Amino acid sequence: MLSNSNPGFVFEHAMNGMAIVSYEGTILKVNAALCKLLGYSQAALISGDVNDQSIHDLWDQISHRIRNLTESDQHELQSFETTCSRKSLSPLKLAVHMQAIQHEHAMSSSYLIQFTDQTPLDLMRHKLEQQNNTLMELNDSYQQLLDQLPLAVLITRKGIVQYTNPAGLRLVKAGQLSDVLGMSTNTIVDASSHQDLFDRRQRYAEVSTLGEITYVIRCLDGQQKVVHGFSFIITHEGEKAVIGVFKDITEQRIEEDRIMQSERLTTAGQLAAGIAHEIRNPLTSINGFLKLLRSGERSSPLYFDIIESELKRIELIVNELLVLSKPQTAHISGPIDVFAMLEQIITLMKVQAALKDIEIIPHYPITPVTIRGEVNQLKQVFINLLKNALEAMTHGGIITIDIQQIGQDVQIIVKDQGVGMTPEQMKSLGEPFYTTKDSGTGLGLMITKNIIHNHGGTLDVFSIPEQGTTFTIHLPSL
């Protein structure tokens, strides 16, 4: 209870609206803050000359409560909340606090009424409720989207599965969500792709990017699948997490392998005549030296060196031909010495080049260049490009192969002196079944571009009619 019957300065200058009301409910005094809050003058509030029924109702509530308190002889602080209109303004939400005022020489004869404007807080609460409802609706829509999405969605935090949608469960052959919750991505991703997984985590730690990725995964039933997708950072249940969206490309990869196998067999058939000629030459040399050795007329250690060298040459050519013809049952990624790979390809192609009076000249930098990839696929890329160059050069000439390393970018440039291509021809280059040759499917360059893309690289083409074509392959260095 207050012990001062005259609020004085504090009453007049208080931030909250205040009024002094008698036991009978008569308004004795109001301060400036209450006049501003309700939109009426002191005289109008004290006299009751207001035209808002809700304000009359407010004073009626206060008077009724005062009478109840007086009759029950209770003088403790009482509070309640209510609403009322303001003159020409929007409705007002008020918290009303009532406390008896005791004079120095008498019993309590009036009440101090304090009015606190709860409208901003109420509006904020209402907005928060609206936002919460909106978020709940968005979350429901988001959940429905994920549930109906045909692509597999996986949410992980620190490499541990937090959520996957029904398509994800079907992808990994899981019966229910609990089968994969808490599982490590190291378990889902097959051991053959663990290096890719590690490299991706390292890249995110360094440059905070994830991007696209292709993995071999192992399903819960032991089946292997190839998936391709992308990932990005989200907030999941209030914490940072990674969401990945993946597509099963196993059938697509099998079909690509089938097309590549067909292309390799076609290439092998085209090279067969040249290779037969190339093998015949060392066989003739070996046969001649064997006859000399058998006659016993002449013998020299040099003969054995020549025979051994020619046999190794035949072995190299046969091995490279076998690489083209045999199916690839697995995609094994590893470090590749670019120089050694190109030397093997040039050895394989130079016979066919010589038959057309074409010379293949490589230019290697002093420092070795290493990339990561599947060596047989990359060999197929350069065999396709060299084969196209040979077919484009009808009057002989030179094919150059240049290797440059600029930072993390390895550039391998194959330049011919062939017939070149027009801008219209280049627009359709790489499309299935489009070819500038008299006989061809157009699949070779499509396969080439696809292999390069799967290795994180790009292929640029520059061509001038009757001057030649330059293919520039960009691959990330190891």
Side-chain angles (χ1 to χ4, degrees):
M1 297 175 63
L2 298 177
S3 60
N4 187 357
S5 61
N6 181 19
F9 183 86
V10 175
F11 178 88
E12 294 294 342
H13 295 86
M15 297 289 292
N16 289 339
M18 290 186 178
I20 297 177
V21 181
S22 70
Y23 273 28
E24 292 76 22
T26 303
I27 302 173
L28 304 176
K29 194 173 185 180
V30 295
N31 69 352
L34 184 60
C35 295
K36 183 178 180 181
L37 184 63
L38 298 180
Y40 288 92
S41 66
Q42 290 183 344
L45 289 175
I46 291 173
S47 65
D49 186 18
V50 296
N51 56 10
D52 287 340
Q53 183 60 41
S54 61
I55 292 181
H56 289 291
D57 293 341
L58 172 63
W59 294 122
D60 288 344
Q61 286 186 65
I62 293 171
S63 298
H64 178 71
R65 289 174 180 270
I66 289 175
R67 285 194 296 273
N68 289 341
L69 292 173
T70 303
E71 291 172 1
S72 60
D73 198 27
Q74 295 180 8
H75 304 289
E76 290 80 8
L77 180 67
Q78 300 289 320
S79 301
F80 67 95
E81 290 187 354
T82 187
T83 57
C84 72
S85 302
R86 292 178 292 178
K87 187 177 182 180
S88 303
L89 295 173
S90 58
L92 192 67
K93 183 70 175 288
L94 293 174
V96 182
H97 307 283
M98 305 169 52
Q99 189 168 8
I101 300 174
Q102 182 176 345
H103 297 274
E104 292 182 2
H105 305 293
M107 296 296 293
S108 298
S109 58
S110 60
Y111 278 87
L112 174 64
I113 315 297
Q114 299 184 60
F115 301 83
T116 303
D117 185 4
Q118 298 285 87
T119 308
L121 184 62
D122 192 60
L123 287 174
M124 185 178 294
R125 185 187 300 116
H126 181 65
K127 286 183 178 179
L128 287 174
E129 288 176 354
Q130 285 184 323
Q131 289 177 354
N132 186 59
N133 291 335
T134 302
L135 286 174
M136 290 179 67
E137 290 174 1
L138 288 174
N139 187 61
D140 290 342
S141 301
Y142 170 70
Q143 191 66 47
Q144 290 177 13
L145 174 65
L146 292 182
D147 289 346
Q148 297 175 14
L149 196 67
L151 300 176
V153 177
L154 196 73
I155 298 178
T156 61
R157 183 179 296 117
K158 297 180 180 179
I160 302 300
V161 176
Q162 307 294 319
Y163 165 83
T164 187
N165 67 344
L169 295 177
R170 292 192 295 270
L171 177 67
V172 299
K173 304 290 186 179
Q176 52 192 358
L177 185 59
S178 60
D179 293 340
V180 295
L181 285 182
M183 185 178 290
S184 170
T185 50
N186 291 339
T187 303
I188 298 174
V189 176
D190 188 73
S192 61
S193 292
H194 277 183
Q195 185 61 49
D196 295 328
L197 186 63
F198 175 77
D199 292 344
R200 200 157 185 256
R201 289 170 178 169
Q202 285 291 106
R203 185 168 66 252
Y204 176 73
E206 293 170 1
V207 295
S208 298
T209 59
L210 290 170
E212 296 185 19
I213 190 65
T214 299
Y215 289 133
V216 177
I217 65 169
R218 184 170 294 276
C219 303
L220 298 190
D221 63 356
Q223 179 186 359
Q224 283 188 330
K225 291 183 179 180
V226 183
V227 298
H228 179 78
F230 61 91
S231 303
F232 53 91
I233 304 300
I234 63 166
T235 299
H236 177 68
E237 295 180 349
E239 295 185 51
K240 185 181 290 186
V242 176
I243 184 170
V245 182
F246 294 96
K247 178 183 179 182
D248 184 356
I249 62 168
T250 307
E251 294 299 324
Q252 176 185 332
R253 183 62 66 86
I254 291 172
E255 181 63 16
E256 288 174 0
D257 286 348
R258 188 192 65 78
I259 295 174
M260 287 176 61
Q261 173 65 5
S262 175
E263 186 72 14
R264 280 194 295 271
L265 290 173
T266 301
T267 303
Q270 292 172 349
L271 293 174
I275 289 174
H277 180 271
E278 178 71 0
I279 291 177
R280 186 182 298 114
N281 288 336
L283 284 176
T284 301
S285 299
I286 292 170
N287 187 45
F289 283 111
L290 284 174
K291 287 180 179 179
L292 286 174
L293 292 171
R294 187 180 294 114
S295 67
E297 295 178 2
R298 300 174 62 183
S299 178
S300 169
L302 180 61
Y303 295 169
F304 294 101
D305 293 339
I306 293 174
I307 291 172
E308 183 180 12
S309 174
E310 294 298 322
L311 286 172
K312 286 182 177 179
R313 185 179 174 195
I314 293 172
E315 182 184 23
L316 176 62
I317 294 169
V318 171
N319 285 341
E320 290 303 314
L321 185 59
L322 288 174
V323 165
L324 287 175
S325 62
K326 71 179 182 180
Q328 289 176 253
T329 57
H331 298 269
I332 302 171
S333 179
I336 299 172
D337 184 336
V338 176
F339 300 172
M341 177 183 68
L342 290 177
E343 277 300 313
Q344 293 169 357
I345 295 166
I346 292 170
T347 299
L348 180 64
M349 302 295 294
K350 69 179 181 180
V351 177
Q352 192 174 0
L355 292 173
K356 301 188 68 174
D357 195 25
I358 297 171
E359 185 179 4
I360 302 174
I361 302 176
H363 298 136
Y364 300 144
I366 299 174
T367 306
V369 176
T370 306
I371 58 176
R372 175 177 291 278
E374 297 163 351
V375 66
N376 290 339
Q377 286 194 8
L378 289 174
K379 282 183 179 180
Q380 181 72 46
V381 165
F382 293 104
I383 288 172
N384 286 347
L385 293 181
L386 287 175
K387 185 161 66 71
N388 288 343
L390 292 175
E391 292 171 352
M393 297 171 64
T394 56
H395 302 292
I398 295 173
I399 299 173
T400 59
I401 303 176
D402 293 276
I403 302 175
Q404 300 174 1
Q405 181 164 358
I406 304 173
Q408 297 298 310
D409 181 36
V410 174
Q411 298 179 11
I412 304 172
I413 305 165
V414 180
K415 184 177 181 181
D416 66 49
Q417 297 175 340
V419 295
M421 292 178 287
T422 64
E424 290 74 20
Q425 290 173 322
M426 289 181 61
K427 287 180 181 178
S428 300
L429 200 63
E431 295 181 2
F433 308 110
Y434 175 81
T435 178
T436 60
K437 296 178 287 188
D438 294 335
S439 62
T441 64
L443 295 176
L445 192 58
M446 182 192 74
I447 292 170
T448 295
K449 292 177 72 173
N450 192 45
I451 292 172
I452 293 170
H453 174 75
N454 289 340
H455 282 76
T458 57
L459 176 66
D460 299 328
V461 186
F462 176 77
S463 188
I464 301 176
E466 305 306 325
Q467 293 188 30
T469 302
T470 301
F471 287 91
T472 303
I473 299 167
H474 300 265
L475 291 168
S477 66
L478 187 61

